[in-house]
Amino acid sequence: MMRVNPPQKPAQGFILTIIVLLMMLGLLFAVGLGIYALSLDGTVREKFEGKRWAIPAKVYSRPLELYTGAAVSKSDVLAELKLLHYRAQSSYDSPGVYSEKNNELYIYTRGFVFSDDTEKSQVLKLQFQGNVLTDLASTQQNNKGIVRLEPLVVGGIYPKQNEDRVLMQLKEAPKYLEQALLATEDKNFYHHFGVSIRGTLRAIFVNLTSGELRQGGSTLTQQLVKNFYLTDERSIKRKVNEALMALLLEWHYEKKEILETYLNEVNIGQNGNRSINGFGLAAQFYFGQPISELSLHQVALLVGLVKGPSFYNPWRNPERALARRDVVLANLMNDGHITQAQFDKAKAKPLGILKTPTAGLSIYPAFLDVVRRQLKQEYKEDDLSSSGLRIFTTLDPRVQNSAQLSFNNQVTQLKARNGSRLANLQGSVVVANPENGELLAVIGGYGNFTGFNRALDASRQVGSLLKPAVYLTALTTGQYSLLTPIDDSAVQVASQGGDVWTPENYDHQDHGLVPLYDALAHSYNQATIRLGMTVGVPEVIDTLKKLGVTQDMPNYPSLLLGTINMSPMEVLRLYQPFATNGFQTSPRSIREVVDSKGNRLTRYGLEVKQVYDPAPLYLINYAMQQTMRNGTGAAAYARLPQDLVMAGKTGTTNDMRDAWFAGYTGNYLAVVWLGNDDNKATGLSGASGALPIWVDLMSRLKPTSLEPVQPDNVQWQWIDKMSGQLSAEGCDGAMYVPYLTSSIPVDKVPCAAEKDVLNDPINTIVNGAVNKVLDIFR
């Protein structure tokens, strides 16, 4: 008899169905999760193995070169060390410190990788005598005899997301940085696989009990994933993605690589609209030092800021930041990384942050603007803002800071003395090395830089600054000398339309016949118009073009008094040939561009061309030196040494709207402009407004005397000032002035003729013989 199984209970079949469905759903979930994880894996690997960050171009000043015989004083070097945030200590036992002992200065340099060589970290011993470095000794063998300090970072060209960072390697990390970070942020970093189960469960419990997302329970790897790949969105989806990507990151990469990436990625502050990312930049931002130089208490502060750089901002909330720093120090001690004594010593330290952060700032924005404009003509914007280029410029921080002080002080005083009349006074200063055209300083205006760079963009009438070109044109003809009489009586000029123009002198006086050099030195308008009309306005225009003026110029007599608009930078270019006997190099702000690997991409070499005959320029230099000795620039010698030879020219425009001064010494060429952006009158002349800034600037620097090379066809002669005839030393009215050999006078004043007779060799012999005969009879 066959046995028949009883029918299954409906409940058992239902349960089996549910189990199968759950298994299928689990399988589908696993497959879906796997596919999703694979897509995330591609994202993780693509960015981590590709270009991780957009590294902004860094812009550097010139490096200070030290060598025996260098014209640099101890105060100059100390000023440079202050800019570079070197620290004064009694001992010089680590990079970034210096020590003064008697007249000796010991510096432990940081070293720097230049494109042509690596300047190794070394201890220098410097000795000075006045303004000269008389002896240089180093712990490094240096066959060149020159040591370069690292250049100052003066700014950067940043990506659109306004992130900034200084990349560092884990091996460059200071002592205790890794231990402090792990002790505070992720004790089990080396023991988990990217996600902390305990931390996650704790965060879930807190979030569930509070009814909102309050805790993350994130590991360092999860923090890196959030900063590197995700957003700050608070959602379950983002937390799931964060956990999955953290697991994938740990699966593919070593812990050390993950930690190093974290050190470069984490946000540790904000500088305006620019974020401070990574410990490398944070060290410079908060302390002005490279990361490798940080001490224990400094490391603890940076680690403490990771939790909340805004909440613990040490400038706004110093007490809160100090307490957080001490928590990090306590973590280090509790984990056995430092002793109680080390803890107590570090805890007793102040925050020690900079008064004002400099890293991430454009310290000299007007100069940086000049650099940026040149680079944009030659490089793509993306390369400039994301490829880690290094731009080495010609900027001299000491000259730039001196120019800023001189400019700010004078403008502030003028505003204070004149009230609302000069409330909006603006201006610019540009300084260059006359020999090579390198820009040393650029001031683009008074107050915060707004993008309008007056050194480049303020195109204003230049007034009397053009007069040297008029007199130079006359001297070039060979028909004029420095002592040629020029009529400075009233003059009228009729236009083609019948209008009559009657220019007047600044003092509203007529001066009659004056020597050519004196007419320029005192900037007489009437004499200038007469002279310019005689030699021809087109000829003056030709001279200006040779000197570097590129714009179209109207063939009108008013041009002779400077009725064309130029920027301070264009004036600088115009005056350079005056300072260099006719040689010109275009003003340049960049020396070279180097890529992130140290390869030189572009070098901006010295391009010199002779644009004008040096002989008449040598003569005009004499006249412009007289401008400083006896003319409109004479006030300069009230503050500057009497033996300093310098040349220059004031410029004042109609209704005193613009005040100019352009002047040069042996090593500095500087142009100053003052005026209102709306072109309203200032009431300032070149002598009362611009010249004091120039003089104050030179008093802060170490100008050398102007020593123009005398051409072969120029000779110095004693000339009678009144008659223009040859004279001799000791004769009344005699002046010692340079002449073109082709225009030396032939006639002599009686005094000179008498001296010639007395000094004639034959006459001397005869007189000697006669005297001997007379001696016998005596």
Side-chain angles (χ1 to χ4, degrees), residues 561-595:
L561 299 186
T563 55
I564 63 170
N565 291 355
M566 298 177 71
S567 70
M569 195 70 74
E570 290 171 328
V571 172
L572 186 82
R573 176 181 170 85
L574 167 64
Y575 267 73
Q576 197 205 8
F578 287 102
T580 57
N581 272 27
F583 291 93
Q584 188 175 69
T585 59
S586 296
R588 61 195 182 106
S589 61
I590 306 173
R591 289 182 175 177
E592 64 179 0
V593 178
V594 177
D595 68 16

Side-chain angles (χ1 to χ4, degrees), residues 538-611:
E539 284 68 23
V540 174
I541 291 175
D542 184 60
T543 296
L544 287 167
K545 287 183 177 179
K546 289 178 180 178
L547 294 172
V549 178
T550 57
Q551 62 181 277
D552 292 332
M553 291 170 276
N555 185 9
Y556 299 141
S558 60
L559 172 73
L560 303 172
L561 299 186
T563 55
I564 63 170
N565 291 355
M566 298 177 71
S567 70
M569 195 70 74
E570 290 171 328
V571 172
L572 186 82
R573 176 181 170 85
L574 167 64
Y575 267 73
Q576 197 205 8
F578 287 102
T580 57
N581 272 27
F583 291 93
Q584 188 175 69
T585 59
S586 296
R588 61 195 182 106
S589 61
I590 306 173
R591 289 182 175 177
E592 64 179 0
V593 178
V594 177
D595 68 16
S596 59
K597 297 180 181 178
N599 301 312
R600 181 184 294 161
L601 299 179
T602 311
R603 181 171 180 80
Y604 298 85
L606 188 62
E607 296 181 3
V608 183
K609 59 181 179 179
Q610 186 163 356
V611 297

Side-chain angles (χ1 to χ4, degrees), residues 10 43 150 195 278 324 344 428 466 498 573 661 710:
T43 301
E150 71 271 23
V195 177
R324 177 62 182 166
D344 293 339
S428 173
L466 285 198
R573 176 181 170 85
F661 186 79
Q710 182 175 334

Side-chain angles (χ1 to χ4, degrees), residues 142-318:
N142 190 337
N143 296 325
K144 296 179 296 183
I146 298 178
V147 176
R148 291 175 290 184
L149 296 182
E150 71 271 23
L152 177 69
V153 178
V154 298
I157 301 175
Y158 299 98
K160 293 179 180 178
Q161 62 268 35
N162 268 330
E163 287 187 358
D164 194 9
R165 55 176 49 82
V166 174
L167 295 184
M168 61 170 286
Q169 294 180 314
L170 196 56
K171 63 182 180 182
E172 298 171 339
K175 193 175 182 181
Y176 303 119
L177 175 57
E178 181 178 343
Q179 295 96 317
L181 184 63
L182 299 186
T184 305
E185 294 292 326
D186 191 352
K187 291 180 182 293
N188 297 311
F189 176 72
Y190 285 107
H191 305 291
H192 60 63
F193 297 100
V195 177
S196 170
I197 303 299
R198 180 185 299 176
T200 302
L201 291 175
R202 182 180 66 251
I204 291 173
F205 175 76
V206 171
N207 293 334
L208 288 174
T209 54
S210 65
E212 58 180 344
L213 289 173
R214 296 179 58 184
Q215 251 190 42
S218 298
T219 63
L220 277 188
T221 312
Q222 287 175 275
Q223 292 181 40
L224 175 60
V225 166
K226 183 185 73 172
N227 294 331
F228 202 55
Y229 297 101
L230 305 174
T231 66
D232 289 330
E233 176 193 3
R234 289 175 173 266
S235 68
I236 297 297
K237 179 183 177 182
R238 201 269 292 164
K239 288 300 294 181
V240 170
N241 284 340
E242 179 185 294
L244 286 173
M245 294 175 88
L247 291 168
L248 291 169
L249 201 62
E250 296 260 1
W251 175 267
H252 289 296
Y253 306 104
E254 298 289 334
K255 287 280 189 181
K256 291 290 186 182
E257 188 174 4
I258 293 171
L259 179 59
E260 184 174 285
T261 305
Y262 179 92
L263 293 175
N264 286 302
E265 173 63 25
V266 63
N267 176 263
I268 316 181
Q270 193 75 19
N271 189 13
N273 65 344
R274 190 169 300 128
S275 64
I276 303 300
N277 292 81
F279 282 86
L281 181 61
Q284 296 182 4
F285 181 66
Y286 291 103
F287 302 110
Q289 298 172 236
I291 185 70
S292 59
E293 292 181 14
L294 297 194
S295 301
L296 173 59
H297 69 286
Q298 296 171 311
V299 168
L301 176 62
L302 295 188
V303 170
L305 292 175
V306 169
K307 185 177 181 180
S310 178
F311 186 77
Y312 295 107
N313 185 308
W315 285 290
R316 293 201 304 262
N317 306 302

